[in-house]
Amino acid sequence: MAGRRDRMDTERDRGGQPPAIELRAVARSYGRGATAVQALRGVDLALARGSFTAVMGPSGSGKSTFLQCAAGLDRPSSGQVLLGGEEITRFSEDRLTKLRRARIGFVFQSFNLLPSLTVLQNVLLPQRLAGERQDVRRARQLLAEVGLPEHASRRPGQLSGGQQQRVAIARALITGPEVVFADEPTGALDTRSAQEVLGLLRRAVDTMGATVVMVTHDPVAASHADHVLFLADGALAGSLWRPDPRSVAERMAALTTAAAGFAGAAA
Ligand code: ADP
Protein backbone atom coordinates (compact mmCIF):
# COMPACT_ATOMS: atom_id res chain seq x y z
CA MET A 1 0.00 0.00 0.00
CA ALA A 2 1.47 3.30 -1.09
CA GLY A 3 0.31 5.07 2.05
CA ARG A 4 2.22 2.72 4.31
CA ARG A 5 5.37 2.93 2.21
CA ASP A 6 5.23 6.72 2.30
CA ARG A 7 5.52 6.51 6.07
CA MET A 8 8.94 4.88 5.69
CA ASP A 9 7.94 1.80 7.57
CA THR A 10 10.47 -0.90 8.24
CA GLU A 11 7.48 -2.96 9.24
CA ARG A 12 6.99 -6.12 7.25
CA ASP A 13 4.56 -8.90 7.86
CA ARG A 14 5.65 -10.24 11.22
CA GLY A 15 2.66 -12.31 12.14
CA GLY A 16 0.59 -9.30 13.14
CA GLN A 17 3.07 -8.09 15.77
CA PRO A 18 2.94 -4.34 16.29
CA PRO A 19 6.04 -2.32 15.40
CA ALA A 20 8.59 -1.94 18.20
CA ILE A 21 8.13 1.80 17.96
CA GLU A 22 5.74 3.92 15.99
CA LEU A 23 5.40 7.68 15.60
CA ARG A 24 2.18 9.14 14.28
CA ALA A 25 2.24 12.77 13.15
CA VAL A 26 4.68 13.64 15.91
CA ALA A 27 5.36 17.37 16.15
CA ARG A 28 7.38 19.20 18.78
CA SER A 29 7.78 22.93 19.03
CA TYR A 30 9.73 24.97 21.54
CA GLY A 31 8.49 28.35 22.70
CA ARG A 32 5.43 30.21 21.47
CA GLY A 33 4.38 32.86 19.03
CA ALA A 34 6.86 34.54 16.68
CA THR A 35 9.92 32.96 18.33
CA ALA A 36 8.54 29.39 18.32
CA VAL A 37 10.87 26.76 16.86
CA GLN A 38 9.34 23.76 15.08
CA ALA A 39 11.85 21.05 15.94
CA LEU A 40 9.68 18.23 14.54
CA ARG A 41 6.94 18.85 11.99
CA GLY A 42 4.79 15.76 11.86
CA VAL A 43 6.95 12.64 11.72
CA ASP A 44 5.30 9.33 10.79
CA LEU A 45 7.23 6.09 10.98
CA ALA A 46 7.11 2.54 12.24
CA LEU A 47 10.20 0.50 13.07
CA ALA A 48 9.94 -3.27 13.12
CA ARG A 49 11.10 -5.42 15.98
CA GLY A 50 14.58 -6.72 15.35
CA SER A 51 15.52 -3.81 13.09
CA PHE A 52 18.58 -1.57 13.28
CA THR A 53 17.87 2.00 12.18
CA ALA A 54 20.27 4.92 11.95
CA VAL A 55 18.91 8.47 12.14
CA MET A 56 20.92 11.16 10.43
CA GLY A 57 20.50 14.79 9.44
CA PRO A 58 22.28 18.14 9.51
CA SER A 59 22.78 19.92 12.81
CA GLY A 60 19.46 21.34 14.02
CA SER A 61 17.39 18.96 11.86
CA GLY A 62 15.62 17.50 14.91
CA LYS A 63 17.56 14.28 15.64
CA SER A 64 17.82 14.85 19.40
CA THR A 65 14.21 15.94 19.63
CA PHE A 66 13.17 12.82 17.69
CA LEU A 67 15.16 10.57 20.01
CA GLN A 68 13.80 12.25 23.13
CA CYS A 69 10.18 12.02 21.95
CA ALA A 70 10.52 8.43 20.72
CA ALA A 71 12.20 7.31 23.96
CA GLY A 72 9.63 8.91 26.25
CA LEU A 73 12.13 11.47 27.59
CA ASP A 74 10.15 14.35 26.13
CA ARG A 75 6.53 14.82 25.13
CA PRO A 76 5.50 15.74 21.59
CA SER A 77 3.43 18.91 21.24
CA SER A 78 1.05 16.80 19.14
CA GLY A 79 0.89 13.33 17.66
CA GLN A 80 1.38 9.91 19.20
CA VAL A 81 4.25 7.62 20.14
CA LEU A 82 3.49 3.91 20.46
CA LEU A 83 5.83 1.42 22.10
CA GLY A 84 4.97 -2.16 21.20
CA GLY A 85 1.56 -0.93 20.04
CA GLU A 86 0.82 0.88 23.30
CA GLU A 87 0.38 4.62 23.17
CA ILE A 88 2.75 6.20 25.69
CA THR A 89 2.21 9.84 24.78
CA ARG A 90 -0.30 10.44 27.53
CA PHE A 91 1.45 8.49 30.27
CA SER A 92 2.06 10.35 33.53
CA GLU A 93 5.68 11.30 34.35
CA ASP A 94 5.81 8.51 36.89
CA ARG A 95 4.58 5.91 34.42
CA LEU A 96 6.99 7.15 31.74
CA THR A 97 9.92 6.86 34.13
CA LYS A 98 8.95 3.28 34.94
CA LEU A 99 8.49 2.50 31.26
CA ARG A 100 11.94 3.87 30.37
CA ARG A 101 13.58 1.80 33.10
CA ALA A 102 11.88 -1.47 32.24
CA ARG A 103 11.25 -1.33 28.49
CA ILE A 104 13.86 0.95 26.91
CA GLY A 105 17.65 0.75 26.82
CA PHE A 106 19.90 3.78 26.41
CA VAL A 107 23.46 4.13 25.13
CA PHE A 108 24.96 7.63 25.30
CA GLN A 109 27.97 9.23 23.63
CA SER A 110 29.62 9.79 27.02
CA PHE A 111 28.83 6.26 28.36
CA ASN A 112 27.18 7.61 31.57
CA LEU A 113 28.37 4.80 33.83
CA LEU A 114 28.33 5.49 37.57
CA PRO A 115 31.98 5.77 38.63
CA SER A 116 31.42 4.58 42.21
CA LEU A 117 29.78 1.30 41.14
CA THR A 118 31.58 -1.73 39.78
CA VAL A 119 31.08 -2.77 36.17
CA LEU A 120 28.71 -5.54 37.29
CA GLN A 121 26.68 -3.15 39.46
CA ASN A 122 26.45 -0.72 36.54
CA VAL A 123 25.07 -3.45 34.30
CA LEU A 124 22.52 -4.42 36.97
CA LEU A 125 21.47 -0.82 37.67
CA PRO A 126 18.45 -0.70 35.32
CA GLN A 127 16.99 -3.79 37.01
CA ARG A 128 17.66 -2.27 40.42
CA LEU A 129 15.99 1.01 39.44
CA ALA A 130 13.05 -0.83 37.88
CA GLY A 131 12.59 -2.76 41.14
CA GLU A 132 13.19 -6.04 39.32
CA ARG A 133 15.18 -9.00 40.57
CA GLN A 134 18.85 -8.37 39.81
CA ASP A 135 19.91 -11.17 37.50
CA VAL A 136 23.63 -11.49 38.20
CA ARG A 137 23.95 -14.53 35.94
CA ARG A 138 22.46 -12.65 33.02
CA ALA A 139 24.66 -9.62 33.73
CA ARG A 140 27.80 -11.79 33.68
CA GLN A 141 26.61 -13.45 30.49
CA LEU A 142 26.13 -10.03 28.85
CA LEU A 143 29.58 -8.92 30.01
CA ALA A 144 31.00 -12.04 28.37
CA GLU A 145 29.07 -11.26 25.19
CA VAL A 146 30.55 -7.75 25.01
CA GLY A 147 34.01 -9.25 25.52
CA LEU A 148 34.56 -8.19 29.14
CA PRO A 149 34.09 -11.37 31.19
CA GLU A 150 37.02 -10.52 33.48
CA HIS A 151 36.04 -6.95 34.20
CA ALA A 152 32.97 -7.38 36.44
CA SER A 153 34.56 -6.10 39.63
CA ARG A 154 36.50 -3.20 38.11
CA ARG A 155 35.35 0.42 38.25
CA PRO A 156 34.52 2.31 35.03
CA GLY A 157 37.55 4.58 35.58
CA GLN A 158 39.84 1.57 35.12
CA LEU A 159 38.46 0.88 31.64
CA SER A 160 39.16 2.45 28.26
CA GLY A 161 36.43 4.46 26.52
CA GLY A 162 35.64 1.57 24.19
CA GLN A 163 35.38 -0.85 27.12
CA GLN A 164 33.11 1.56 29.01
CA GLN A 165 30.80 1.77 26.01
CA ARG A 166 30.70 -2.03 25.84
CA VAL A 167 29.61 -2.06 29.51
CA ALA A 168 26.96 0.54 28.62
CA ILE A 169 25.65 -1.79 25.89
CA ALA A 170 25.42 -4.67 28.37
CA ARG A 171 23.56 -2.31 30.74
CA ALA A 172 21.19 -1.26 27.95
CA LEU A 173 20.33 -4.92 27.24
CA ILE A 174 19.93 -6.24 30.79
CA THR A 175 16.16 -5.70 31.03
CA GLY A 176 15.53 -7.17 27.56
CA PRO A 177 14.21 -3.80 26.35
CA GLU A 178 11.81 -3.42 23.46
CA VAL A 179 13.99 -0.71 21.92
CA VAL A 180 17.58 0.43 22.51
CA PHE A 181 18.19 4.10 21.72
CA ALA A 182 21.81 5.00 21.05
CA ASP A 183 22.78 8.66 20.84
CA GLU A 184 26.08 9.07 18.95
CA PRO A 185 27.40 5.90 20.63
CA THR A 186 30.74 6.07 18.79
CA GLY A 187 31.16 9.85 18.97
CA ALA A 188 33.83 9.69 21.70
CA LEU A 189 35.67 6.60 20.45
CA ASP A 190 38.67 5.85 18.24
CA THR A 191 38.00 4.03 14.97
CA ARG A 192 38.75 0.56 16.28
CA SER A 193 36.65 0.87 19.44
CA ALA A 194 33.87 2.39 17.34
CA GLN A 195 33.90 -0.66 15.05
CA GLU A 196 33.69 -2.98 18.05
CA VAL A 197 30.76 -1.06 19.53
CA LEU A 198 28.91 -1.03 16.19
CA GLY A 199 29.60 -4.75 15.78
CA LEU A 200 28.05 -5.36 19.21
CA LEU A 201 24.94 -3.34 18.40
CA ARG A 202 24.65 -5.26 15.13
CA ARG A 203 25.01 -8.56 17.01
CA ALA A 204 22.40 -7.54 19.59
CA VAL A 205 19.97 -7.11 16.68
CA ASP A 206 20.99 -10.25 14.78
CA THR A 207 21.35 -12.75 17.62
CA MET A 208 19.30 -11.32 20.51
CA GLY A 209 16.43 -9.87 18.51
CA ALA A 210 17.06 -6.38 19.89
CA THR A 211 15.66 -3.31 18.13
CA VAL A 212 18.18 -0.48 17.85
CA VAL A 213 17.63 3.16 16.89
CA MET A 214 20.91 5.05 16.63
CA VAL A 215 21.44 8.76 16.04
CA THR A 216 24.78 9.36 14.38
CA HIS A 217 26.55 11.85 12.13
CA ASP A 218 29.03 9.23 10.93
CA PRO A 219 28.24 7.55 7.57
CA VAL A 220 30.45 4.57 8.49
CA ALA A 221 28.50 4.04 11.73
CA ALA A 222 25.21 4.39 9.85
CA SER A 223 26.30 1.74 7.35
CA HIS A 224 26.05 -0.90 10.11
CA ALA A 225 22.29 -0.32 10.26
CA ASP A 226 19.68 -2.00 8.04
CA HIS A 227 18.17 1.31 7.21
CA VAL A 228 18.98 5.02 7.50
CA LEU A 229 16.33 7.67 8.07
CA PHE A 230 17.27 11.22 7.12
CA LEU A 231 15.81 14.22 8.89
CA ALA A 232 15.90 17.76 7.52
CA ASP A 233 14.28 20.77 9.12
CA GLY A 234 12.17 18.63 11.46
CA ALA A 235 10.74 16.31 8.81
CA LEU A 236 11.71 12.98 7.28
CA ALA A 237 13.67 13.67 4.13
CA GLY A 238 14.27 10.19 2.77
CA SER A 239 15.62 6.81 3.72
CA LEU A 240 18.21 4.38 2.52
CA TRP A 241 18.10 0.58 2.80
CA ARG A 242 21.26 -1.50 3.14
CA PRO A 243 23.34 1.66 3.39
CA ASP A 244 27.00 1.89 2.46
CA PRO A 245 29.20 4.72 3.77
CA ARG A 246 29.51 6.41 0.40
CA SER A 247 25.84 6.62 -0.44
CA VAL A 248 25.09 7.81 3.12
CA ALA A 249 27.77 10.50 2.86
CA GLU A 250 26.36 11.66 -0.50
CA ARG A 251 22.84 11.97 0.91
CA MET A 252 24.14 13.84 3.95
CA ALA A 253 26.17 16.23 1.77
CA ALA A 254 23.06 17.02 -0.29
CA LEU A 255 20.95 17.62 2.85
CA THR A 256 23.62 19.76 4.49
CA THR A 257 23.98 21.90 1.36
CA ALA A 258 20.21 22.29 1.17
CA ALA A 259 20.05 23.20 4.89
CA ALA A 260 22.83 25.80 4.45
CA GLY A 261 21.01 27.25 1.45
CA PHE A 262 17.80 27.38 3.45
CA ALA A 263 19.53 29.14 6.36
CA GLY A 264 21.22 31.54 3.94
CA ALA A 265 17.89 32.38 2.31
CA ALA A 266 16.30 32.95 5.74
CA ALA A 267 19.12 35.24 6.91
P1 ADP B 1 19.75 18.01 16.09
O1 ADP B 1 19.83 16.99 17.18
O2 ADP B 1 19.49 17.43 14.73
O3 ADP B 1 20.94 18.94 16.07
P2 ADP B 1 17.68 19.23 17.73
O4 ADP B 1 16.58 18.26 17.91
O5 ADP B 1 18.65 19.39 18.86
O6 ADP B 1 18.46 18.93 16.37
O7 ADP B 1 17.05 20.67 17.44
C1 ADP B 1 16.06 20.90 16.44
C2 ADP B 1 15.67 22.36 16.50
O8 ADP B 1 15.03 22.65 17.73
C3 ADP B 1 16.86 23.34 16.42
O9 ADP B 1 16.46 24.48 15.71
C4 ADP B 1 17.12 23.66 17.87
O10 ADP B 1 17.73 24.94 18.00
C5 ADP B 1 15.72 23.64 18.47
N1 ADP B 1 15.72 23.27 19.89
C6 ADP B 1 16.09 22.08 20.40
N2 ADP B 1 15.92 22.06 21.74
C7 ADP B 1 15.41 23.28 22.07
C8 ADP B 1 15.01 23.89 23.31
N3 ADP B 1 15.07 23.23 24.46
N4 ADP B 1 14.54 25.16 23.26
C9 ADP B 1 14.45 25.82 22.08
N5 ADP B 1 14.80 25.30 20.89
C10 ADP B 1 15.28 24.06 20.88
Side-chain angles (χ1 to χ4, degrees):
M1 283 193 303
R4 281 186 65 81
R5 251 198 312 277
D6 287 350
R7 295 192 325 153
M8 300 190 186
D9 291 2
T10 64
E11 190 62 11
R12 299 188 189 118
D13 184 4
R14 295 190 184 239
Q17 277 192 349
I21 189 98
E22 185 172 358
L23 272 65
R24 294 183 182 162
V26 167
R28 175 72 164 102
S29 50
Y30 295 105
R32 285 170 183 274
T35 56
V37 176
Q38 285 270 316
L40 290 180
R41 304 168 183 268
V43 171
D44 283 292
L45 58 86
L47 304 180
R49 287 171 201 234
S51 63
F52 187 175
T53 303
V55 179
M56 301 190 83
S59 178
S61 60
K63 300 182 296 294
S64 305
T65 306
F66 162 81
L67 196 84
Q68 301 234 329
C69 286
L73 288 161
D74 186 18
R75 269 177 219 284
S77 308
S78 60
Q80 299 172 314
V81 177
L82 290 87
L83 182 72
E86 183 180 16
E87 197 201 329
I88 64 168
T89 330
R90 283 176 230 300
F91 276 21
S92 66
E93 276 310 317
D94 191 39
R95 218 170 146 203
L96 269 183
T97 303
K98 288 193 177 119
L99 172 135
R100 286 196 303 269
R101 286 176 179 162
R103 295 172 58 186
I104 292 180
F106 291 95
V107 180
F108 303 95
Q109 178 169 355
S110 49
F111 325 132
N112 292 17
L113 301 176
L114 291 187
S116 60
L117 299 184
T118 65
V119 161
L120 184 68
Q121 288 166 336
N122 267 285
V123 174
L124 288 165
L125 192 61
Q127 288 186 326
R128 196 168 123 196
L129 291 173
E132 292 174 10
R133 186 180 71 84
Q134 294 181 57
D135 190 342
V136 174
R137 221 177 113 231
R138 177 76 186 133
R140 288 190 180 279
Q141 195 182 359
L142 282 167
L143 279 173
E145 280 180 38
V146 300
L148 299 170
E150 313 291 334
H151 296 64
S153 50
R154 304 229 186 131
R155 310 268 162 193
Q158 299 172 285
L159 271 53
S160 70
Q163 290 173 328
Q164 290 189 52
Q165 196 63 306
R166 280 145 65 185
V167 175
I169 291 173
R171 178 184 59 182
L173 295 169
I174 187 79
T175 58
E178 287 160 64
V179 185
V180 174
F181 289 97
D183 192 359
E184 297 279 8
T186 58
L189 301 179
D190 60 76
T191 311
R192 189 164 153 230
S193 304
Q195 287 292 335
E196 284 169 4
V197 159
L198 291 162
L200 284 175
L201 291 173
R202 182 73 255 175
R203 196 135 56 83
V205 171
D206 292 341
T207 67
M208 297 166 66
T211 305
V212 175
V213 180
M214 170 177 74
V215 166
T216 182
H217 68 271
D218 177 5
V220 174
S223 70
H224 288 74
D226 305 314
H227 176 235
V228 184
L229 292 177
F230 295 93
L231 281 174
D233 196 24
L236 286 173
S239 71
L240 204 57
W241 285 94
R242 287 183 284 283
D244 63 85
R246 204 165 121 195
S247 47
V248 174
E250 282 170 7
R251 277 292 182 105
M252 273 301 291
L255 285 177
T256 307
T257 309
F262 180 76

